[in-house]
Amino acid sequence: VALSQTDQFTVAPQGTRPNQWHGRFSSLVKSTTARFVTVLEVGCSWIPVKMETTGDSHYMTVLGNTLIFDGDTVTVK
C-alpha cells in the first residue's frame, strides 16, 4: 500500500478551524478483494500493535486485547 497525508481539508470548513491531519491509503496492486484494519488513538500517543498470522487466521494484539480475524469472523480475546 501507499500512504499519502496532508493537513489540509478537501473542502475548506466553515468558520475558523485549525488544520487537521488526513491520511489516504491506496493499494499499489489491483485486486478484487481487500481487508483493512485501522487502529486510531485519540490524543496522538503511540500504541504498540503486534500482528501475527497462523494458517488462515490473523492475530492483532493492541492494548492487551487480541483480535482474531478468521475468514469473515472477528473474535476479541
Coordinates of all heavy atoms in Angstrom, one line a residue:
V1 N 0.8 -1.2 0.0 CA 0.0 0.0 0.0 C 0.9 1.2 0.0 O 2.1 1.2 0.3 CB -1.0 0.0 1.2 CG1 -1.9 -1.1 1.2 CG2 -0.2 0.1 2.5
A2 N 0.3 2.3 -0.4 CA 0.9 3.6 -0.3 C 0.1 4.5 0.6 O -1.1 4.5 0.7 CB 1.0 4.2 -1.7
L3 N 0.8 5.4 1.4 CA 0.2 6.3 2.3 C 0.5 7.7 1.8 O 1.7 8.0 1.6 CB 0.7 6.1 3.7 CG 0.3 7.2 4.7 CD1 -1.2 7.3 4.9 CD2 1.0 7.0 6.0
S4 N -0.5 8.5 1.7 CA -0.3 10.0 1.5 C -1.0 10.7 2.6 O -2.0 10.2 3.1 CB -0.7 10.4 0.1 OG -2.1 10.2 0.0
Q5 N -0.5 11.8 3.0 CA -1.1 12.5 4.1 C -0.9 14.0 3.9 O 0.0 14.5 3.3 CB -0.6 12.1 5.5 CG 0.8 12.3 5.7 CD 1.3 11.6 7.0 OE1 1.4 10.4 7.1 NE2 1.5 12.4 8.0
T6 N -1.9 14.8 4.4 CA -1.9 16.2 4.4 C -2.6 16.8 5.6 O -3.4 16.1 6.2 CB -2.6 16.7 3.1 OG1 -2.5 18.1 3.0 CG2 -4.0 16.3 2.9
D7 N -2.3 18.0 5.9 CA -3.0 18.7 7.0 C -4.1 19.7 6.4 O -4.6 20.5 7.2 CB -2.1 19.4 7.9 CG -1.4 20.6 7.3 OD1 -1.4 20.7 6.1 OD2 -0.8 21.4 8.1
Q8 N -4.4 19.6 5.2 CA -5.4 20.4 4.5 C -6.7 19.7 4.3 O -6.7 18.5 4.2 CB -4.9 20.9 3.1 CG -3.5 21.6 3.2 CD -3.7 22.9 4.0 OE1 -4.5 23.8 3.7 NE2 -2.8 23.1 5.0
F9 N -7.8 20.4 4.3 CA -9.1 19.8 4.1 C -9.3 19.7 2.5 O -8.9 20.6 1.8 CB -10.2 20.7 4.7 CG -10.2 20.7 6.2 CD1 -9.5 21.6 6.9 CD2 -10.9 19.7 6.8 CE1 -9.6 21.6 8.3 CE2 -10.9 19.6 8.2 CZ -10.2 20.6 9.0
T10 N -10.1 18.7 2.1 CA -10.5 18.6 0.7 C -11.4 19.8 0.4 O -11.2 20.4 -0.7 CB -11.3 17.3 0.5 OG1 -10.5 16.3 1.0 CG2 -11.7 17.1 -1.0
V11 N -12.3 20.2 1.2 CA -13.2 21.4 1.1 C -13.0 22.2 2.4 O -13.0 21.6 3.5 CB -14.6 21.0 0.9 CG1 -15.5 22.2 0.9 CG2 -14.8 20.1 -0.3
A12 N -12.7 23.5 2.3 CA -12.4 24.3 3.4 C -13.6 24.3 4.4 O -14.8 24.4 3.9 CB -12.1 25.7 3.0
P13 N -13.4 24.1 5.7 CA -14.5 24.1 6.6 C -15.1 25.5 6.8 O -14.4 26.5 6.5 CB -13.9 23.6 7.9 CG -12.4 24.0 7.8 CD -12.1 23.9 6.3
Q14 N -16.3 25.6 7.3 CA -16.9 26.9 7.6 C -16.3 27.4 8.9 O -16.0 26.7 9.8 CB -18.4 26.8 7.7 CG -19.1 26.4 6.4 CD -20.6 26.3 6.6 OE1 -21.1 26.4 7.6 NE2 -21.2 26.0 5.4
G15 N -16.1 28.7 9.0 CA -15.5 29.3 10.2 C -14.0 29.1 10.2 O -13.4 28.7 9.3
T16 N -13.5 29.4 11.4 CA -12.0 29.3 11.6 C -11.8 27.9 12.3 O -12.2 27.7 13.4 CB -11.5 30.4 12.5 OG1 -11.8 31.7 11.9 CG2 -10.0 30.3 12.7
R17 N -11.1 27.1 11.6 CA -10.8 25.7 12.1 C -9.3 25.5 11.9 O -8.7 25.8 10.8 CB -11.5 24.7 11.4 CG -13.0 24.8 11.4 CD -13.6 24.3 12.7 NE -15.0 24.3 12.7 CZ -15.8 24.9 13.6 NH1 -15.2 25.6 14.5 NH2 -17.1 24.8 13.5
P18 N -8.6 24.9 12.9 CA -7.2 24.5 12.7 C -7.1 23.4 11.7 O -8.0 22.6 11.5 CB -6.8 24.1 14.1 CG -8.0 23.6 14.7 CD -9.1 24.5 14.2
N19 N -5.9 23.3 11.0 CA -5.6 22.2 10.1 C -5.7 20.9 10.9 O -5.3 20.9 12.1 CB -4.3 22.4 9.5 CG -4.2 23.6 8.5 OD1 -5.3 24.1 8.2 ND2 -3.1 23.9 8.0
Q20 N -6.1 19.8 10.3 CA -6.1 18.5 10.8 C -5.5 17.5 9.8 O -5.6 17.7 8.6 CB -7.6 18.1 11.1 CG -8.3 19.0 12.1 CD -9.7 18.5 12.3 OE1 -10.2 17.5 11.7 NE2 -10.5 19.3 13.0
W21 N -4.8 16.5 10.4 CA -4.1 15.6 9.5 C -5.1 14.6 9.0 O -6.0 14.1 9.7 CB -3.0 14.9 10.3 CG -1.8 15.8 10.4 CD1 -1.5 16.5 11.5 CD2 -0.9 16.1 9.4 NE1 -0.4 17.3 11.2 CE2 0.0 17.0 9.9 CE3 -0.7 15.7 8.1 CZ2 1.1 17.5 9.2 CZ3 0.4 16.2 7.4 CH2 1.2 17.1 7.9
H22 N -5.0 14.3 7.7 CA -5.8 13.3 7.0 C -4.8 12.4 6.2 O -3.8 12.8 5.7 CB -6.7 14.0 5.9 CG -7.6 15.0 6.5 ND1 -7.1 16.3 6.7 CD2 -8.8 15.0 7.1 CE1 -8.1 17.1 7.2 NE2 -9.1 16.3 7.5
G23 N -5.1 11.1 6.2 CA -4.3 10.1 5.5 C -5.1 9.3 4.5 O -6.3 9.2 4.6
R24 N -4.5 8.9 3.4 CA -5.1 8.1 2.4 C -4.2 6.9 2.1 O -3.1 7.1 1.7 CB -5.3 8.9 1.1 CG -5.8 8.1 0.0 CD -6.0 8.8 -1.3 NE -7.1 9.7 -1.2 CZ -7.5 10.5 -2.1 NH1 -6.8 10.6 -3.3 NH2 -8.5 11.3 -2.0
F25 N -4.8 5.7 2.3 CA -4.1 4.5 2.0 C -4.6 4.0 0.6 O -5.8 4.0 0.4 CB -4.3 3.4 3.0 CG -3.6 3.7 4.3 CD1 -4.3 4.5 5.3 CD2 -2.3 3.3 4.6 CE1 -3.7 4.7 6.5 CE2 -1.7 3.6 5.7 CZ -2.4 4.3 6.7
S26 N -3.7 3.7 -0.3 CA -4.0 3.2 -1.6 C -3.3 1.9 -1.9 O -2.1 1.8 -1.6 CB -3.6 4.2 -2.7 OG -4.2 5.5 -2.4
S27 N -4.0 1.0 -2.5 CA -3.3 -0.3 -3.0 C -2.5 0.0 -4.2 O -2.9 0.7 -5.1 CB -4.4 -1.3 -3.3 OG -3.8 -2.5 -3.8
L28 N -1.3 -0.6 -4.2 CA -0.4 -0.4 -5.4 C -0.7 -1.5 -6.4 O -0.2 -1.4 -7.6 CB 1.0 -0.5 -5.0 CG 1.4 0.7 -4.0 CD1 2.9 0.4 -3.5 CD2 1.3 2.0 -4.6
V29 N -1.5 -2.5 -6.1 CA -1.7 -3.6 -7.0 C -3.2 -3.8 -7.0 O -3.9 -3.8 -6.0 CB -1.1 -4.9 -6.4 CG1 -1.4 -6.1 -7.3 CG2 0.4 -4.8 -6.3
K30 N -3.8 -4.0 -8.3 CA -5.2 -4.2 -8.4 C -5.6 -5.5 -7.8 O -4.9 -6.5 -7.9 CB -5.6 -4.2 -9.9 CG -5.5 -2.8 -10.5 CD -6.0 -2.8 -11.9 CE -5.9 -1.4 -12.5 NZ -6.5 -1.3 -13.8
S31 N -6.8 -5.5 -7.2 CA -7.3 -6.8 -6.5 C -8.8 -6.7 -6.5 O -9.4 -5.6 -6.5 CB -6.7 -6.9 -5.1 OG -7.3 -8.0 -4.5
T32 N -9.4 -7.9 -6.5 CA -10.9 -7.9 -6.4 C -11.3 -7.9 -5.0 O -12.5 -7.7 -4.7 CB -11.4 -9.1 -7.2 OG1 -10.9 -10.3 -6.6 CG2 -11.1 -9.0 -8.6
T33 N -10.4 -8.2 -4.0 CA -10.8 -8.2 -2.6 C -9.7 -7.5 -1.8 O -8.5 -7.4 -2.2 CB -10.9 -9.6 -2.1 OG1 -9.6 -10.3 -2.2 CG2 -11.9 -10.4 -2.8
A34 N -10.1 -6.9 -0.6 CA -9.2 -6.3 0.3 C -9.8 -6.2 1.7 O -11.0 -6.2 1.8 CB -8.8 -4.9 -0.2
R35 N -8.9 -6.3 2.7 CA -9.4 -6.1 4.0 C -8.4 -5.2 4.7 O -7.2 -5.3 4.6 CB -9.4 -7.4 4.8 CG -10.4 -8.4 4.3 CD -10.5 -9.6 5.0 NE -11.5 -10.5 4.5 CZ -11.6 -11.7 4.7 NH1 -10.7 -12.4 5.4 NH2 -12.6 -12.4 4.2
F36 N -8.9 -4.2 5.4 CA -8.1 -3.2 6.1 C -8.5 -3.2 7.6 O -9.7 -3.2 7.9 CB -8.3 -1.8 5.5 CG -7.8 -1.7 4.1 CD1 -8.7 -2.0 3.0 CD2 -6.5 -1.4 3.8 CE1 -8.2 -1.9 1.7 CE2 -6.0 -1.3 2.5 CZ -6.9 -1.5 1.4
V37 N -7.6 -3.1 8.4 CA -7.8 -2.9 9.9 C -7.1 -1.6 10.2 O -5.9 -1.4 10.0 CB -7.3 -4.1 10.7 CG1 -7.4 -3.8 12.2 CG2 -7.9 -5.4 10.3
T38 N -7.8 -0.7 10.9 CA -7.2 0.6 11.2 C -7.3 0.8 12.8 O -8.3 0.5 13.4 CB -8.0 1.8 10.6 OG1 -8.0 1.5 9.2 CG2 -7.4 3.1 10.9
V39 N -6.2 1.2 13.4 CA -6.2 1.4 14.8 C -5.9 2.9 14.9 O -4.9 3.4 14.5 CB -5.0 0.6 15.5 CG1 -5.0 1.0 17.0 CG2 -5.2 -0.9 15.3
L40 N -6.8 3.6 15.6 CA -6.7 5.0 15.8 C -6.6 5.3 17.3 O -7.4 4.7 18.1 CB -7.9 5.8 15.3 CG -8.2 5.6 13.8 CD1 -9.5 6.3 13.4 CD2 -7.0 6.2 13.0
E41 N -5.7 6.2 17.7 CA -5.6 6.6 19.1 C -5.9 8.0 19.2 O -5.1 8.9 18.6 CB -4.2 6.2 19.6 CG -3.9 6.8 21.0 CD -4.8 6.4 22.1 OE1 -5.4 5.4 22.0 OE2 -4.8 7.1 23.2
V42 N -6.9 8.4 19.9 CA -7.2 9.8 20.1 C -6.2 10.4 21.1 O -6.0 9.8 22.1 CB -8.7 10.0 20.6 CG1 -9.0 11.5 20.9 CG2 -9.7 9.4 19.6
G43 N -5.6 11.5 20.7 CA -4.6 12.1 21.6 C -3.2 11.9 21.1 O -2.3 12.4 21.6
C44 N -3.1 11.2 19.9 CA -1.8 11.1 19.2 C -0.7 10.5 20.0 O 0.5 10.8 19.7 CB -1.4 12.5 18.7 SG -2.6 13.2 17.6
S45 N -1.0 9.6 20.9 CA 0.1 8.9 21.5 C 0.4 7.6 20.8 O -0.5 7.0 20.1 CB -0.2 8.6 23.0 OG -1.4 7.8 23.1
W46 N 1.6 7.1 20.9 CA 2.0 5.9 20.1 C 1.5 4.6 20.9 O 1.7 4.5 22.1 CB 3.5 5.8 20.0 CG 3.9 4.6 19.2 CD1 3.8 4.5 17.8 CD2 4.5 3.4 19.7 NE1 4.3 3.2 17.5 CE2 4.7 2.6 18.6 CE3 4.8 3.0 21.0 CZ2 5.3 1.3 18.8 CZ3 5.3 1.7 21.1 CH2 5.6 0.9 20.0
I47 N 0.9 3.7 20.2 CA 0.4 2.4 20.8 C 1.0 1.3 20.0 O 0.9 1.2 18.8 CB -1.1 2.3 20.7 CG1 -1.8 3.4 21.5 CG2 -1.6 0.9 21.1 CD1 -3.3 3.4 21.3
P48 N 1.7 0.4 20.7 CA 2.3 -0.8 20.0 C 1.2 -1.7 19.6 O 0.2 -2.0 20.3 CB 3.2 -1.4 21.1 CG 2.7 -0.9 22.4 CD 2.0 0.4 22.1
V49 N 1.3 -2.2 18.3 CA 0.4 -3.1 17.7 C 1.2 -4.3 17.2 O 2.2 -4.1 16.5 CB -0.4 -2.5 16.6 CG1 -1.3 -3.5 15.9 CG2 -1.3 -1.3 17.1
K50 N 0.8 -5.5 17.6 CA 1.5 -6.7 17.1 C 0.6 -7.5 16.2 O -0.5 -7.8 16.6 CB 1.9 -7.5 18.3 CG 2.7 -8.8 18.0 CD 3.1 -9.6 19.2 CE 3.8 -10.8 18.9 NZ 4.1 -11.6 20.1
M51 N 1.1 -7.8 15.0 CA 0.3 -8.6 14.1 C 1.0 -10.0 13.8 O 2.2 -10.0 13.7 CB 0.2 -7.9 12.7 CG -0.7 -6.7 12.7 SD -2.4 -7.0 13.0 CE -2.9 -8.0 11.6
E52 N 0.3 -11.1 13.8 CA 0.8 -12.4 13.6 C -0.2 -13.1 12.7 O -1.4 -12.9 12.7 CB 1.0 -13.2 14.9 CG 2.0 -12.6 15.8 CD 2.1 -13.5 17.1 OE1 2.5 -14.6 16.9 OE2 1.8 -13.0 18.1
T53 N 0.3 -14.1 11.9 CA -0.5 -14.9 11.1 C -0.2 -16.4 11.3 O 1.0 -16.7 11.4 CB -0.3 -14.6 9.6 OG1 -0.7 -13.2 9.4 CG2 -1.2 -15.5 8.7
T54 N -1.2 -17.2 11.6 CA -1.0 -18.6 11.7 C -2.1 -19.3 10.8 O -3.3 -19.1 11.0 CB -1.3 -19.1 13.2 OG1 -0.3 -18.4 14.0 CG2 -1.0 -20.6 13.3
G55 N -1.6 -20.0 9.8 CA -2.5 -20.6 8.8 C -3.3 -19.5 8.1 O -2.8 -18.5 7.6
D56 N -4.7 -19.6 8.2 CA -5.6 -18.6 7.6 C -6.0 -17.6 8.6 O -6.9 -16.7 8.3 CB -6.8 -19.3 7.0 CG -6.4 -20.2 5.8 OD1 -5.4 -19.8 5.1 OD2 -7.1 -21.1 5.5
S57 N -5.6 -17.6 9.9 CA -6.0 -16.7 10.9 C -5.0 -15.6 11.1 O -3.8 -15.9 11.0 CB -6.2 -17.4 12.2 OG -7.3 -18.4 12.1
H58 N -5.5 -14.4 11.4 CA -4.6 -13.3 11.6 C -4.9 -12.8 13.1 O -6.1 -12.7 13.4 CB -4.8 -12.1 10.6 CG -4.7 -12.6 9.2 ND1 -3.5 -12.8 8.6 CD2 -5.7 -13.0 8.3 CE1 -3.7 -13.2 7.4 NE2 -5.0 -13.3 7.2
Y59 N -3.9 -12.5 13.8 CA -4.0 -12.0 15.2 C -3.4 -10.6 15.4 O -2.3 -10.4 14.9 CB -3.2 -13.0 16.1 CG -3.7 -14.4 16.0 CD1 -3.3 -15.3 15.0 CD2 -4.7 -14.9 16.9 CE1 -3.7 -16.6 14.9 CE2 -5.1 -16.2 16.9 CZ -4.6 -17.1 15.8 OH -5.1 -18.3 15.8
M60 N -4.2 -9.7 16.0 CA -3.7 -8.4 16.2 C -3.8 -8.1 17.7 O -4.9 -8.3 18.3 CB -4.5 -7.3 15.5 CG -4.0 -5.9 15.7 SD -4.8 -4.7 14.7 CE -6.4 -4.6 15.5
T61 N -2.7 -7.8 18.4 CA -2.8 -7.5 19.8 C -2.5 -6.0 20.0 O -1.5 -5.5 19.5 CB -1.7 -8.3 20.6 OG1 -1.9 -9.7 20.3 CG2 -1.8 -8.1 22.1
V62 N -3.4 -5.4 20.7 CA -3.3 -3.9 20.9 C -4.0 -3.7 22.3 O -5.1 -4.2 22.6 CB -4.0 -3.1 19.8 CG1 -5.4 -3.4 19.6 CG2 -3.8 -1.6 20.0
L63 N -3.3 -2.9 23.1 CA -3.8 -2.5 24.5 C -4.2 -3.7 25.3 O -5.2 -3.7 26.0 CB -4.9 -1.5 24.3 CG -4.5 -0.1 23.8 CD1 -5.7 0.7 23.6 CD2 -3.5 0.6 24.6
G64 N -3.5 -4.8 25.2 CA -3.8 -6.0 26.0 C -4.9 -6.8 25.4 O -5.3 -7.8 26.1
N65 N -5.5 -6.5 24.3 CA -6.6 -7.2 23.7 C -6.1 -7.9 22.4 O -5.3 -7.3 21.7 CB -7.8 -6.3 23.4 CG -8.3 -5.7 24.6 OD1 -8.9 -6.3 25.4 ND2 -8.2 -4.4 24.7
T66 N -6.5 -9.1 22.2 CA -6.2 -9.8 20.9 C -7.4 -10.0 20.1 O -8.4 -10.5 20.5 CB -5.5 -11.2 21.2 OG1 -4.4 -11.0 22.0 CG2 -5.2 -11.9 19.9
L67 N -7.3 -9.4 18.9 CA -8.4 -9.6 17.9 C -8.0 -10.7 17.0 O -6.9 -10.7 16.4 CB -8.7 -8.3 17.1 CG -9.3 -7.2 17.9 CD1 -8.2 -6.4 18.6 CD2 -10.1 -6.3 17.0
I68 N -8.9 -11.7 16.8 CA -8.6 -12.8 15.9 C -9.5 -12.7 14.7 O -10.7 -12.7 14.8 CB -8.8 -14.2 16.6 CG1 -8.0 -14.2 17.9 CG2 -8.5 -15.3 15.7 CD1 -8.5 -15.3 18.9
F69 N -8.8 -12.6 13.5 CA -9.5 -12.5 12.2 C -9.4 -13.8 11.5 O -8.3 -14.3 11.2 CB -8.9 -11.4 11.3 CG -8.9 -10.0 12.0 CD1 -7.9 -9.6 12.8 CD2 -9.9 -9.2 11.8 CE1 -7.9 -8.4 13.4 CE2 -10.0 -7.9 12.3 CZ -8.9 -7.5 13.2
D70 N -10.6 -14.5 11.4 CA -10.6 -15.8 10.8 C -11.7 -15.8 9.7 O -12.9 -15.9 10.1 CB -10.8 -16.9 11.9 CG -10.7 -18.3 11.4 OD1 -10.2 -18.5 10.2 OD2 -11.0 -19.2 12.1
G71 N -11.3 -15.7 8.5 CA -12.4 -15.6 7.4 C -13.2 -14.3 7.6 O -12.6 -13.2 7.7
D72 N -14.5 -14.4 7.7 CA -15.3 -13.2 7.9 C -15.7 -13.0 9.4 O -16.5 -12.2 9.7 CB -16.6 -13.4 7.1 CG -16.4 -13.3 5.6 OD1 -15.4 -12.6 5.2 OD2 -17.2 -13.9 4.9
T73 N -15.0 -13.8 10.3 CA -15.3 -13.7 11.7 C -14.2 -13.0 12.4 O -13.0 -13.2 12.2 CB -15.4 -15.1 12.3 OG1 -16.4 -15.8 11.6 CG2 -15.8 -15.1 13.8
V74 N -14.6 -12.1 13.4 CA -13.6 -11.4 14.2 C -14.0 -11.7 15.7 O -15.1 -11.5 16.1 CB -13.6 -9.9 14.0 CG1 -12.6 -9.2 15.0 CG2 -13.3 -9.5 12.6
T75 N -13.0 -12.2 16.4 CA -13.2 -12.5 17.8 C -12.2 -11.7 18.7 O -11.1 -11.5 18.3 CB -12.9 -14.0 18.1 OG1 -13.7 -14.8 17.2 CG2 -13.3 -14.4 19.5
V76 N -12.7 -11.2 19.8 CA -11.8 -10.5 20.7 C -11.5 -11.4 21.9 O -12.4 -11.9 22.5 CB -12.5 -9.2 21.2 CG1 -11.5 -8.5 22.2 CG2 -12.8 -8.3 20.1
K77 N -10.3 -11.6 22.2 CA -9.8 -12.4 23.3 C -9.1 -11.7 24.4 O -8.4 -10.7 24.1 CB -8.9 -13.5 22.7 CG -8.5 -14.6 23.7 CD -7.8 -15.7 22.9 CE -6.4 -15.8 23.4 NZ -5.7 -16.9 22.8

